[in-house]
Structure formats: C-alpha cells, structure tokens
Amino acid sequence: MDFNLTREQTLIQKMVRAFTENEVKPIAAETDKTCEYPRENIEKLFHYGIMGMCVPKEYGGAGSDDLSAALAVEELSKVCASTGDIVATHNGLCCDPILRNGTGAQKQKYLRMLTEGHKVGAFALTEPNAGSDASKGTTTARLEGDHYVLNGSKVFITNGYVADVIVVFAMTDPSKGTRGISAFIVESSFPGYHVGKHEEKLGLHGSPTAELIFEDCIVPKENLLGQEGKGFKIAMQTLDGGRIGIAAQALGITEGAMEEAITYTKSRVQFGKPIAKFQNTQFTFADMKVAVESGRLLVHQAATLKSAGKPFTMEAAMAKLYTSENAMKYTVKALQMFGGYGYTRDFPVERMLRDAKITEIYEGTSEVQRIVISSNMALK
C-alpha cells in the first residue's frame, strides 16, 4: 500500500493549508463569536476550486479525487470546523448525489451552478420525528402533471439558510416506508420554499443550520433525482460518502487542538520548567499523536476506496466513529493542559471542544456507526 500523497494531492493540501492560515484563522474566533456565515472565505474557496472540487471538469469542477476533498476539509477544520463543515456538506452531500444519480441535463445545470455559479448546496433528510429512522419522514411529494408538490419540513439542515440548491427527500408513497422515499433537486427560488428557524447551537457557530419548510412547493418533474422510490438508497449512499468528510473534519479538530496545546505547554512554565517537559503531559501528547495518525489512515483508506469505486460503507463508518470520538476525547485533554485559561475564550481550544461534539452526532450518531460496522462484519 502506498501511503504517499500524489503530487496533485500534496499541492491541494499545501494550498488549503496556506489559505487556512492566511484567511480562515484570523477570523475564526470572530466567526464563532458573531455566529456569522464566513461568506467572503466561501467565495474565495469557490474561486480556488475547493467548492465542488470532485466534480469533473466537464461540469465545471476541478476533477479532484475524494482523498483531496478530505485533505481540504481536514486543513480547514484545524482552525475553523465551521468552514470545514460548510465545504464538506456542499461537496459530499449535494454535489456528490447529483453527480452519481443525476441525468446528463441535471448534471450540466446543477453541477455548474454548484461550481462555476458559486451556488451553495445542502442536503435535507432529517425531520423532527425522523432522525436516524428515515422511514418516519412525513414530508410528501405529490405528482401533479409536469411537477411535484412538496409539503413538510426538514430540520438541522447544514448550509440551510444560505443554500441555493438542496437535495431533498420526500415520501412519494408513504405506504411503502423507505421504499416510498424519493429524492429531488430543489432550488431555493422555487415557489413554496421557505427557510424557518435558524438554529442556535453549542458549536459550529459559523455553519448556517436551519429548518426548511415546504408549503405546496413546486418542483419540476425533471428535478426528480434518480427514480421514484429510490431516494432512500441515494440518501444512504450519500451519507456513506459524507461520513468521510465528517471524519476528516473531526481529524482536523483533533490536530488543531493538539497543535494549540503543544504551543501553549512549551511556553507555560510551572514548578520551574515548561509543562511540556512533564512526563504526564508528554504521555498525553503521545496518545494524541497515535489517535491522529491512526485516524488519518482510516480516513485515507475510506476516501481511496470511494475514489476507486470499491465498497467503502464500513470503512467510512469506522473512520467517522474513531475520529469523532477521539476529537471529543482529546479536545478535552488539550483544554485541561491550559488549566483555567482553557475554559476561557482567550484560547481556541474551548471552541474546538464545542465544535467536536457534533461530529459524534450528525451523519449518523456513534451508535449508528457501530450498527453499520457490525452489520458489515458477516457476524451471522
């Protein structure tokens, strides 16, 4: 197995790292404080080809691979998990299902909008009573002549109040459970589409999360994504890929916390020497390093399998489970090294801790990941 990045992957990593240091890091604390969507930086990421980076060049994208996309999210999330989240959602949860399931006309129109057109994408599956169990969704889509009429609501939608293009899942035949779910490409300009509540969250304050409401929303018939009744399959396929992005985000958060803690403990002197010189501190850093490097291998494995067109469901779940739980574990340990200062907003580790928690929840909770992993282990 070759563990080396290609020349293109290395260049993307360096470019995003430089952008993160120069453009994202200086405003990360303010973004968290004000809860403002980092619009200018997202526009710049469109310009650099990071938004929609895995979309083929024929549809306006950069034609990069899934590992490159994971590297970009990891670098951004080291200093601002909100920015990493916006990018991961746009690329993995909106562009990807259209690329994999769209018609030629849909790909030409919407993938170009999501790349060259600088339109932001979102993915709308979760409902108030349908989280992990998508079969309990009550949003409906009724075919009327040349269009569908959507009614219902979605909650906790990342990019929700800034999204222009949304992949929405609705029941076309509620009697069939998951086999009655269909997927649609919805534009925010469609009649009957509304943005509801803007969520106030523990973390990811710069990531725009909102409720979406459909009141007799008119969606052209040609905006059905895939076939009627095949939406659940599209959703699960998309979430498999999306978990790689969240794993990369969690990995980046852990790395960022570790780097901040290393810098601080080298300069913080107690009992006559920097606290980085104490053995218990060094042992904690050793554990962090093992978690980061092993997590990186899991992320890279899943991304590489996805790009190769091979099964990656279990590998993506393992990567997300491992990196998200370590993000929580080691941001807590990093904060502890700062003592009382870590509990204040003078240092970014308290923000990193708040941001880390969501990685254990969205794109499938840790409990769901364990179900996915064990169901793919041929235990019966």
Side-chain angles (χ1 to χ4, degrees), residues 273-292:
K273 62 181 179 180
I275 59 177
K277 296 291 186 180
F278 290 98
Q279 191 176 66
N280 63 338
T281 305
Q282 294 172 348
F283 281 4
T284 300
F285 281 132
D287 290 341
M288 283 185 181
K289 185 64 174 175
V290 171
V292 164

Side-chain angles (χ1 to χ4, degrees), residues 144-288:
E144 292 188 358
D146 63 353
H147 63 268
Y148 286 88
V149 180
L150 270 61
N151 281 285
S153 65
K154 301 290 181 176
V155 294
F156 306 137
I157 306 305
T158 302
N159 294 347
Y161 58 84
V162 300
D164 305 286
V165 178
I166 308 96
V167 175
V168 178
F169 297 86
M171 289 286 187
T172 44
D173 188 346
S175 69
K176 293 183 178 179
T178 56
R179 290 186 174 88
I181 299 174
S182 301
F184 301 88
I185 305 172
V186 177
E187 296 181 41
S188 60
S189 60
F190 285 174
Y193 174 93
H194 309 284
V195 174
K197 178 185 176 183
H198 293 201
E199 298 293 344
E200 296 181 7
K201 310 187 296 293
L202 172 70
L204 292 187
H205 287 171
S207 175
T209 307
E211 175 190 26
L212 303 183
I213 300 170
F214 308 93
E215 293 180 331
D216 291 332
C217 180
I218 305 301
V219 179
K221 186 177 180 180
E222 60 266 26
N223 279 42
L224 174 69
L225 184 61
Q227 300 175 336
E228 270 200 16
K230 301 297 183 182
F232 183 74
K233 181 179 179 180
I234 292 173
M236 295 303 104
Q237 174 196 69
T238 303
L239 289 173
D240 281 346
R243 285 167 185 156
I244 299 172
I246 302 309
Q249 180 192 33
L251 176 63
I253 293 170
T254 309
E255 289 181 275
M258 181 176 69
E259 291 171 6
E260 291 290 337
I262 289 172
T263 300
Y264 181 79
T265 57
K266 283 182 175 180
S267 61
R268 176 66 168 173
V269 176
Q270 293 287 278
F271 305 104
K273 62 181 179 180
I275 59 177
K277 296 291 186 180
F278 290 98
Q279 191 176 66
N280 63 338
T281 305
Q282 294 172 348
F283 281 4
T284 300
F285 281 132
D287 290 341
M288 283 185 181

